Every structure is written in C-alpha cells, then in structure tokens.
Amino acid sequence: TTERGLSTSAAAAAEIAACVELLSAAGRGAATASHAVLSATWRMVWTTEKETLFIVKNAGLFGTRAGEVYQVIDVEEGRLQNVITFP
C-alpha cells in the first residue's frame, strides 16, 4: 500500500509516472478532459498533490484521522474539488 502516495518509494513513483505518461500519450490530440463522463465523484487512491497529502499525513494534529479522499469533477462548470473525509 502507498497510503495515497505518502509512502510510495521513488521506484514506485517513477513507475506510476511512466504509466500516467503512457495514458497521456494515448489520448494526445483528443479532448479527453472535456468529456462529460469525467463528471463524477472519484475515490482518490494515489496523488502527488501536496496539500492533500499534508492533511492526510497530519490529521492527528487536529485530533482525528483522515478517512476516504475523493475528487469531485464537474466538467460543465470547469471545477475540480478534493474532499477529505474525517470519521
């Protein structure tokens, strides 16, 4: 487990980045980010987003722990929001 990216080794991070690049290359030239099917609430299983990782890592400082993390995407509104739940 990588704890959403917190404990990812350098080798695993490089492998993930290579996979992301392959996906990016496969969609190059297509309007993939504007497709309405992306509009949804997605469970975040891995990220490099520093603020999200900081909160997940340091939730204990606030007397809690981080629960599930989601990304809410609304293509029509051009909005993306990270949501961290606290049980």
Coordinates of all heavy atoms in Angstrom, one line a residue:
T1 N 0.8 -1.2 0.0 CA 0.0 0.0 0.0 C 0.9 1.3 0.0 O 1.9 1.3 0.6 CB -0.9 0.0 1.2 OG1 -1.7 1.2 1.2 CG2 -0.2 -0.1 2.5
T2 N 0.4 2.3 -0.6 CA 1.2 3.6 -0.7 C 0.6 4.7 0.1 O 1.1 5.8 0.1 CB 1.2 4.1 -2.2 OG1 -0.1 4.4 -2.6 CG2 1.8 3.0 -3.1
E3 N -0.5 4.4 0.9 CA -1.2 5.4 1.7 C -1.5 6.6 0.9 O -1.1 7.7 1.3 CB -0.3 5.7 2.9 CG -0.2 4.5 3.9 CD 0.7 4.9 5.1 OE1 0.1 5.6 5.9 OE2 1.8 4.5 5.1
R4 N -2.1 6.4 -0.3 CA -2.5 7.5 -1.2 C -1.3 8.3 -1.8 O -1.5 9.4 -2.3 CB -3.5 8.5 -0.5 CG -4.8 7.8 -0.2 CD -5.7 8.9 0.3 NE -6.9 8.2 1.0 CZ -6.9 7.9 2.2 NH1 -5.9 8.2 3.0 NH2 -8.0 7.4 2.7
G5 N -0.1 7.8 -1.6 CA 1.1 8.4 -2.1 C 2.1 8.8 -1.0 O 3.2 9.1 -1.3
L6 N 1.7 8.7 0.2 CA 2.5 9.1 1.3 C 3.8 8.3 1.5 O 4.8 8.7 1.8 CB 1.8 9.1 2.7 CG 0.8 10.3 2.9 CD1 0.0 10.0 4.1 CD2 1.6 11.6 3.0
S7 N 3.6 6.9 1.3 CA 4.7 6.0 1.5 C 5.2 5.4 0.2 O 5.8 4.3 0.2 CB 4.3 5.0 2.5 OG 3.3 4.2 2.0
T8 N 5.0 6.0 -0.9 CA 5.4 5.5 -2.2 C 6.9 5.6 -2.4 O 7.5 6.7 -2.2 CB 4.7 6.3 -3.4 OG1 3.3 6.2 -3.2 CG2 5.1 5.6 -4.7
S9 N 7.6 4.5 -2.7 CA 9.0 4.6 -2.9 C 9.3 5.3 -4.2 O 8.4 5.5 -5.1 CB 9.6 3.1 -3.1 OG 9.1 2.6 -4.3
A10 N 10.5 5.8 -4.4 CA 10.9 6.5 -5.6 C 10.7 5.7 -6.8 O 10.3 6.2 -7.8 CB 12.4 7.0 -5.4
A11 N 11.0 4.4 -6.7 CA 10.9 3.5 -7.8 C 9.4 3.3 -8.2 O 9.1 3.4 -9.4 CB 11.5 2.1 -7.5
A12 N 8.6 3.2 -7.2 CA 7.1 3.0 -7.5 C 6.6 4.3 -8.1 O 5.7 4.3 -9.0 CB 6.4 2.6 -6.2
A13 N 7.0 5.5 -7.5 CA 6.5 6.7 -8.1 C 6.9 6.9 -9.5 O 6.1 7.4 -10.3 CB 7.0 7.9 -7.2
A14 N 8.1 6.5 -9.9 CA 8.6 6.6 -11.2 C 7.8 5.7 -12.1 O 7.4 6.1 -13.3 CB 10.1 6.2 -11.3
E15 N 7.4 4.5 -11.7 CA 6.6 3.6 -12.4 C 5.2 4.1 -12.7 O 4.7 4.0 -13.8 CB 6.6 2.2 -11.7 CG 5.9 1.1 -12.5 CD 5.9 -0.2 -11.8 OE1 6.8 -0.4 -10.9 OE2 5.2 -1.1 -12.3
I16 N 4.7 4.7 -11.6 CA 3.3 5.3 -11.7 C 3.4 6.5 -12.7 O 2.5 6.6 -13.6 CB 2.8 5.8 -10.4 CG1 2.5 4.5 -9.5 CG2 1.5 6.6 -10.5 CD1 2.3 4.8 -8.0
A17 N 4.4 7.3 -12.6 CA 4.5 8.5 -13.5 C 4.7 8.0 -15.0 O 4.1 8.6 -15.9 CB 5.7 9.3 -13.1
A18 N 5.4 6.9 -15.2 CA 5.5 6.3 -16.5 C 4.2 5.8 -17.1 O 3.9 6.0 -18.3 CB 6.5 5.2 -16.6
C19 N 3.4 5.2 -16.2 CA 2.0 4.8 -16.6 C 1.1 5.9 -17.0 O 0.4 5.9 -18.0 CB 1.4 3.9 -15.5 SG 2.2 2.3 -15.3
V20 N 1.2 7.0 -16.2 CA 0.4 8.2 -16.5 C 0.8 8.8 -17.8 O 0.0 9.2 -18.6 CB 0.6 9.2 -15.3 CG1 0.0 10.6 -15.7 CG2 -0.1 8.7 -14.0
E21 N 2.1 8.8 -18.1 CA 2.6 9.3 -19.3 C 2.1 8.5 -20.5 O 1.7 9.1 -21.6 CB 4.1 9.4 -19.4 CG 4.7 10.0 -20.6 CD 4.1 11.4 -21.0 OE1 3.9 12.2 -20.1 OE2 3.9 11.6 -22.2
L22 N 2.1 7.2 -20.4 CA 1.5 6.3 -21.4 C 0.1 6.6 -21.7 O -0.4 6.7 -22.8 CB 1.7 4.8 -21.0 CG 3.1 4.3 -21.1 CD1 3.2 2.9 -20.6 CD2 3.6 4.3 -22.6
L23 N -0.7 6.8 -20.6 CA -2.1 7.2 -20.8 C -2.3 8.5 -21.4 O -3.1 8.7 -22.3 CB -2.8 7.2 -19.4 CG -3.1 5.8 -18.8 CD1 -3.6 6.0 -17.4 CD2 -4.1 5.1 -19.6
S24 N -1.4 9.5 -21.0 CA -1.5 10.8 -21.6 C -1.2 10.7 -23.1 O -1.8 11.4 -23.9 CB -0.5 11.7 -20.9 OG -0.5 13.0 -21.5
A25 N -0.2 10.0 -23.5 CA 0.2 9.8 -24.9 C -0.9 9.2 -25.7 O -1.2 9.5 -26.8 CB 1.5 9.0 -25.0
A26 N -1.6 8.2 -25.1 CA -2.7 7.5 -25.8 C -3.8 8.5 -26.1 O -4.5 8.3 -27.1 CB -3.2 6.4 -25.0
G27 N -4.0 9.5 -25.3 CA -5.1 10.4 -25.5 C -4.7 11.7 -26.2 O -5.5 12.6 -26.4
R28 N -3.4 11.9 -26.5 CA -2.9 13.1 -27.1 C -3.7 13.5 -28.3 O -3.9 12.6 -29.2 CB -1.4 12.9 -27.4 CG -0.7 14.3 -27.6 CD 0.8 14.2 -27.4 NE 1.1 14.2 -26.0 CZ 1.9 13.3 -25.4 NH1 2.4 12.3 -26.1 NH2 2.1 13.3 -24.1
G29 N -4.1 14.7 -28.4 CA -4.8 15.2 -29.6 C -6.3 15.1 -29.4 O -7.1 15.6 -30.2
A30 N -6.8 14.3 -28.4 CA -8.2 14.2 -28.1 C -8.6 15.1 -27.0 O -7.8 15.4 -26.1 CB -8.5 12.7 -27.8
A31 N -9.8 15.5 -27.0 CA -10.4 16.4 -25.9 C -10.8 15.5 -24.7 O -12.0 15.5 -24.4 CB -11.5 17.2 -26.4
T32 N -9.9 14.8 -24.1 CA -10.3 13.8 -23.1 C -10.7 14.5 -21.8 O -11.6 13.9 -21.1 CB -9.1 12.9 -22.8 OG1 -7.9 13.7 -22.4 CG2 -8.7 12.0 -24.0
A33 N -10.2 15.6 -21.5 CA -10.6 16.3 -20.2 C -11.9 17.0 -20.3 O -12.4 17.5 -19.3 CB -9.5 17.3 -19.8
S34 N -12.5 17.1 -21.5 CA -13.8 17.8 -21.6 C -14.9 16.9 -21.8 O -16.1 17.3 -21.9 CB -13.7 18.8 -22.8 OG -13.6 18.0 -24.0
H35 N -14.7 15.6 -21.7 CA -15.8 14.6 -21.8 C -16.6 14.6 -20.6 O -16.1 14.4 -19.5 CB -15.2 13.3 -22.1 CG -16.2 12.3 -22.8 ND1 -17.2 11.8 -22.1 CD2 -16.3 11.9 -24.1 CE1 -17.9 11.0 -22.9 NE2 -17.3 11.1 -24.1
A36 N -17.9 14.6 -20.7 CA -18.8 14.7 -19.6 C -18.8 13.5 -18.7 O -19.1 13.5 -17.5 CB -20.3 14.9 -20.1
V37 N -18.3 12.3 -19.2 CA -18.2 11.1 -18.4 C -17.3 11.3 -17.2 O -17.4 10.6 -16.2 CB -17.8 9.9 -19.3 CG1 -16.4 9.9 -19.7 CG2 -18.2 8.6 -18.5
L38 N -16.4 12.3 -17.3 CA -15.5 12.6 -16.2 C -16.2 13.2 -15.0 O -15.7 13.2 -13.9 CB -14.3 13.5 -16.6 CG -13.3 12.9 -17.6 CD1 -12.3 13.9 -18.0 CD2 -12.6 11.7 -16.9
S39 N -17.3 13.8 -15.2 CA -18.1 14.5 -14.2 C -18.6 13.4 -13.2 O -19.5 12.7 -13.5 CB -19.2 15.3 -14.7 OG -18.7 16.4 -15.4
A40 N -18.0 13.4 -12.0 CA -18.4 12.4 -11.1 C -17.6 12.6 -9.8 O -16.7 13.5 -9.7 CB -18.1 10.9 -11.6
T41 N -17.9 11.8 -8.8 CA -17.1 11.8 -7.6 C -16.2 10.6 -7.6 O -16.7 9.5 -7.7 CB -18.0 11.8 -6.3 OG1 -18.8 13.0 -6.3 CG2 -17.2 11.7 -5.0
W42 N -14.9 10.8 -7.6 CA -13.9 9.7 -7.8 C -13.2 9.5 -6.5 O -12.8 10.5 -5.8 CB -12.9 10.1 -8.9 CG -13.5 10.3 -10.2 CD1 -14.0 11.5 -10.7 CD2 -13.7 9.4 -11.2 NE1 -14.5 11.3 -11.9 CE2 -14.3 10.0 -12.3 CE3 -13.4 8.0 -11.4 CZ2 -14.7 9.4 -13.5 CZ3 -13.7 7.4 -12.5 CH2 -14.3 8.0 -13.6
R43 N -13.0 8.3 -6.1 CA -12.2 8.0 -4.9 C -10.7 8.1 -5.2 O -10.2 7.5 -6.2 CB -12.5 6.6 -4.4 CG -11.8 6.3 -3.0 CD -12.3 5.0 -2.4 NE -12.1 3.9 -3.2 CZ -11.1 3.0 -3.1 NH1 -10.2 3.2 -2.2 NH2 -10.9 2.0 -3.9
M44 N -10.0 8.9 -4.5 CA -8.6 9.1 -4.8 C -7.7 8.0 -4.1 O -7.8 7.9 -2.9 CB -8.2 10.5 -4.3 CG -6.7 10.9 -4.6 SD -6.2 12.5 -3.9 CE -7.2 13.6 -4.9
V45 N -7.1 7.3 -4.9 CA -6.2 6.2 -4.3 C -4.8 6.5 -4.3 O -4.0 5.9 -3.6 CB -6.5 4.8 -5.0 CG1 -7.9 4.4 -4.8 CG2 -6.1 4.9 -6.5
W46 N -4.4 7.5 -5.1 CA -3.0 7.9 -5.1 C -2.9 9.4 -5.7 O -3.6 9.7 -6.6 CB -2.2 7.0 -6.0 CG -0.7 7.2 -5.9 CD1 0.1 6.6 -5.0 CD2 0.2 7.9 -6.8 NE1 1.4 7.0 -5.2 CE2 1.5 7.8 -6.3 CE3 0.0 8.7 -7.9 CZ2 2.6 8.5 -6.9 CZ3 1.0 9.4 -8.5 CH2 2.3 9.2 -8.0
T47 N -2.0 10.2 -5.1 CA -1.8 11.5 -5.6 C -0.4 12.0 -5.2 O 0.2 11.5 -4.4 CB -2.9 12.5 -4.9 OG1 -2.8 13.8 -5.5 CG2 -2.7 12.6 -3.4
T48 N -0.1 13.1 -5.9 CA 1.1 13.8 -5.6 C 0.8 15.2 -5.1 O 1.7 16.0 -4.8 CB 2.1 14.0 -6.9 OG1 1.3 14.7 -7.9 CG2 2.6 12.7 -7.4
E49 N -0.5 15.5 -5.0 CA -1.0 16.8 -4.6 C -0.6 17.1 -3.1 O -1.0 16.4 -2.2 CB -2.5 16.9 -4.7 CG -3.1 18.2 -5.0 CD -3.3 19.0 -3.7 OE1 -3.7 18.4 -2.7 OE2 -3.0 20.2 -3.7
K50 N 0.3 18.1 -3.0 CA 1.0 18.3 -1.7 C 0.0 18.6 -0.5 O 0.2 18.2 0.6 CB 2.1 19.4 -1.8 CG 3.3 18.9 -2.6 CD 4.3 20.0 -2.8 CE 5.5 19.6 -3.6 NZ 5.4 18.6 -4.6
E51 N -0.9 19.5 -0.8 CA -1.9 19.9 0.3 C -2.7 18.7 0.8 O -2.9 18.6 2.0 CB -2.8 21.1 -0.2 CG -2.0 22.4 -0.3 CD -1.3 22.5 -1.7 OE1 -1.4 21.6 -2.5 OE2 -0.6 23.5 -1.8
T52 N -3.2 17.9 -0.1 CA -4.0 16.7 0.2 C -3.1 15.8 1.1 O -3.5 15.3 2.1 CB -4.5 16.0 -1.0 OG1 -5.4 16.9 -1.7 CG2 -5.3 14.8 -0.6
L53 N -1.9 15.5 0.6 CA -1.0 14.6 1.3 C -0.6 15.2 2.7 O -0.6 14.4 3.7 CB 0.3 14.3 0.5 CG 0.1 13.5 -0.7 CD1 1.4 13.4 -1.5 CD2 -0.4 12.1 -0.4
F54 N -0.5 16.5 2.8 CA -0.2 17.1 4.1 C -1.3 16.8 5.1 O -1.1 16.5 6.3 CB 0.1 18.6 4.0 CG 0.3 19.3 5.3 CD1 1.6 19.3 5.8 CD2 -0.7 19.9 6.0 CE1 1.9 19.9 7.0 CE2 -0.5 20.5 7.2 CZ 0.8 20.5 7.7
I55 N -2.5 17.1 4.7 CA -3.7 16.9 5.6 C -3.8 15.4 5.9 O -4.1 15.1 7.1 CB -5.0 17.5 4.9 CG1 -4.8 19.0 4.8 CG2 -6.2 17.1 5.7 CD1 -5.9 19.6 3.9
V56 N -3.7 14.5 5.0 CA -3.8 13.1 5.3 C -2.8 12.7 6.3 O -3.1 12.0 7.2 CB -3.8 12.3 4.0 CG1 -3.6 10.8 4.3 CG2 -5.0 12.5 3.1
K57 N -1.6 13.1 6.1 CA -0.4 12.7 6.9 C -0.6 13.3 8.3 O -0.3 12.7 9.3 CB 0.9 13.2 6.3 CG 2.1 12.9 7.2 CD 3.4 13.4 6.5 CE 4.6 13.0 7.3 NZ 5.8 13.5 6.7
N58 N -1.1 14.6 8.4 CA -1.1 15.3 9.7 C -2.4 15.4 10.4 O -2.6 16.2 11.3 CB -0.4 16.7 9.5 CG 1.0 16.5 9.1 OD1 1.9 16.1 9.9 ND2 1.3 16.9 7.9
A59 N -3.4 14.6 10.0 CA -4.7 14.7 10.5 C -4.7 14.5 12.1 O -5.5 15.1 12.8 CB -5.7 13.7 9.9
G60 N -3.8 13.8 12.6 CA -3.6 13.6 14.0 C -3.4 14.9 14.8 O -3.8 15.0 15.9
L61 N -2.8 15.9 14.1 CA -2.6 17.2 14.8 C -3.9 17.9 15.1 O -4.0 18.7 15.9 CB -1.7 18.1 13.9 CG -0.3 17.6 13.6 CD1 0.4 18.5 12.6 CD2 0.5 17.5 14.9
F62 N -4.9 17.5 14.4 CA -6.3 18.1 14.5 C -7.2 17.2 15.4 O -8.4 17.4 15.5 CB -6.9 18.3 13.2 CG -6.0 19.2 12.3 CD1 -5.4 18.6 11.2 CD2 -5.9 20.5 12.5 CE1 -4.5 19.3 10.4 CE2 -5.0 21.3 11.7 CZ -4.4 20.7 10.6
G63 N -6.6 16.1 16.0 CA -7.3 15.2 16.8 C -8.2 14.2 16.1 O -9.1 13.7 16.7
T64 N -7.8 13.9 14.9 CA -8.6 13.0 14.1 C -7.7 12.2 13.2 O -6.5 12.3 13.3 CB -9.7 13.8 13.3 OG1 -10.6 12.8 12.7 CG2 -9.1 14.7 12.3
R65 N -8.3 11.5 12.3 CA -7.5 10.8 11.2 C -8.3 11.0 9.9 O -9.5 11.3 9.9 CB -7.4 9.3 11.5 CG -8.7 8.5 11.5 CD -8.4 7.0 11.7 NE -9.7 6.3 11.7 CZ -10.4 6.0 10.6 NH1 -9.9 6.2 9.5 NH2 -11.5 5.3 10.7
A66 N -7.6 11.0 8.8 CA -8.2 11.1 7.5 C -8.9 9.8 7.1 O -8.4 8.7 7.4 CB -7.2 11.5 6.5
G67 N -10.1 10.0 6.6 CA -10.9 8.9 6.1 C -10.6 8.8 4.6 O -9.5 8.9 4.1
E68 N -11.7 8.5 3.8 CA -11.6 8.5 2.4 C -11.3 9.9 1.8 O -11.6 10.9 2.4 CB -12.9 7.9 1.8 CG -13.2 6.5 2.1 CD -12.1 5.5 1.5 OE1 -11.6 5.9 0.4 OE2 -11.9 4.5 2.0
V69 N -10.6 9.9 0.7 CA -10.3 11.1 -0.1 C -11.0 11.0 -1.4 O -10.9 9.9 -2.1 CB -8.8 11.3 -0.2 CG1 -8.5 12.6 -0.9 CG2 -8.2 11.3 1.2
Y70 N -11.7 12.0 -1.8 CA -12.4 12.0 -3.1 C -12.0 13.2 -4.0 O -11.5 14.2 -3.4 CB -13.9 12.0 -2.9 CG -14.4 10.9 -2.1 CD1 -14.7 11.0 -0.8 CD2 -14.7 9.7 -2.8 CE1 -15.1 9.9 0.0 CE2 -15.2 8.6 -2.0 CZ -15.4 8.7 -0.7 OH -15.9 7.6 0.0
Q71 N -12.2 13.1 -5.3 CA -12.0 14.2 -6.2 C -13.4 14.3 -6.9 O -13.8 13.4 -7.5 CB -10.9 13.9 -7.1 CG -10.2 15.2 -7.6 CD -8.9 14.9 -8.3 OE1 -8.9 14.1 -9.3 NE2 -7.9 15.5 -7.9
V72 N -14.0 15.5 -6.8 CA -15.2 15.8 -7.4 C -15.0 16.6 -8.6 O -14.4 17.7 -8.5 CB -16.2 16.5 -6.4 CG1 -17.5 16.8 -7.1 CG2 -16.4 15.8 -5.1
I73 N -15.3 16.1 -9.8 CA -15.1 16.8 -11.1 C -16.4 17.1 -11.7 O -17.3 16.3 -11.8 CB -14.3 15.8 -12.0 CG1 -12.9 15.5 -11.4 CG2 -14.1 16.5 -13.4 CD1 -12.1 14.5 -12.2
D74 N -16.5 18.4 -12.1 CA -17.7 18.9 -12.8 C -17.2 19.5 -14.1 O -16.7 20.7 -14.1 CB -18.5 19.9 -12.0 CG -19.8 20.3 -12.6 OD1 -19.8 20.4 -13.9 OD2 -20.7 20.6 -11.9
V75 N -17.2 18.8 -15.2 CA -16.6 19.3 -16.5 C -17.4 20.5 -16.9 O -16.8 21.5 -17.4 CB -16.6 18.2 -17.5 CG1 -16.2 18.7 -18.9 CG2 -15.7 17.0 -17.1
E76 N -18.7 20.5 -16.9 CA -19.5 21.6 -17.4 C -19.2 22.9 -16.6 O -19.1 23.9 -17.3 CB -21.0 21.3 -17.2 CG -21.9 22.3 -17.9 CD -23.4 21.9 -17.8 OE1 -23.7 20.7 -18.2 OE2 -24.2 22.7 -17.3
E77 N -19.0 22.8 -15.3 CA -18.7 24.0 -14.5 C -17.2 24.3 -14.5 O -16.8 25.4 -14.0 CB -19.2 23.8 -13.1 CG -20.7 23.8 -13.0 CD -21.3 25.1 -13.3 OE1 -20.8 26.2 -13.0 OE2 -22.4 25.1 -13.9
G78 N -16.4 23.4 -15.1 CA -14.9 23.6 -15.1 C -14.3 23.6 -13.6 O -13.5 24.3 -13.3
R79 N -14.9 22.7 -12.8 CA -14.5 22.6 -11.4 C -14.0 21.3 -11.0 O -14.5 20.2 -11.4 CB -15.7 23.0 -10.6 CG -15.4 23.2 -9.1 CD -16.6 23.7 -8.3 NE -17.7 22.8 -8.4 CZ -19.0 23.1 -8.7 NH1 -19.3 24.4 -8.8 NH2 -19.9 22.2 -8.7
L80 N -12.9 21.3 -10.2 CA -12.4 20.1 -9.5 C -12.2 20.4 -8.1 O -11.6 21.5 -7.7 CB -11.0 19.7 -10.2 CG -10.3 18.6 -9.6 CD1 -9.6 17.8 -10.7 CD2 -9.3 19.0 -8.5
Q81 N -12.6 19.5 -7.2 CA -12.5 19.8 -5.8 C -12.0 18.5 -5.1 O -12.5 17.4 -5.3 CB -13.9 20.2 -5.2 CG -13.9 20.4 -3.7 CD -15.3 20.8 -3.3 OE1 -16.3 20.6 -4.0 NE2 -15.4 21.3 -2.1
N82 N -11.0 18.6 -4.2 CA -10.6 17.5 -3.4 C -11.4 17.5 -2.1 O -11.5 18.6 -1.5 CB -9.1 17.6 -3.1 CG -8.2 17.4 -4.4 OD1 -8.6 16.6 -5.3 ND2 -7.1 18.0 -4.5
V83 N -11.8 16.3 -1.7 CA -12.6 16.2 -0.5 C -12.0 15.2 0.4 O -11.8 14.0 0.0 CB -14.1 15.8 -0.8 CG1 -14.9 15.6 0.5 CG2 -14.7 16.9 -1.7
I84 N -11.6 15.5 1.6 CA -11.1 14.6 2.6 C -12.1 14.4 3.7 O -12.6 15.4 4.3 CB -9.8 15.1 3.2 CG1 -8.8 15.4 2.1 CG2 -9.2 14.1 4.2 CD1 -7.5 16.2 2.6
T85 N -12.5 13.1 3.9 CA -13.5 12.9 5.0 C -12.7 12.6 6.3 O -11.6 12.1 6.3 CB -14.4 11.7 4.6 OG1 -13.6 10.5 4.5 CG2 -15.1 11.9 3.3
F86 N -13.4 12.9 7.4 CA -12.8 12.7 8.7 C -13.9 12.0 9.5 O -14.9 12.5 9.9 CB -12.5 14.0 9.4 CG -11.4 14.8 8.7 CD1 -11.8 15.8 7.8 CD2 -10.1 14.5 8.9 CE1 -10.8 16.5 7.1 CE2 -9.1 15.2 8.1 CZ -9.4 16.2 7.3
P87 N -13.6 10.7 9.8 CA -14.6 9.8 10.5 C -14.8 10.3 11.9 O -14.1 11.0 12.5 CB -14.0 8.5 10.5 CG -12.6 8.6 10.0 CD -12.4 10.0 9.5

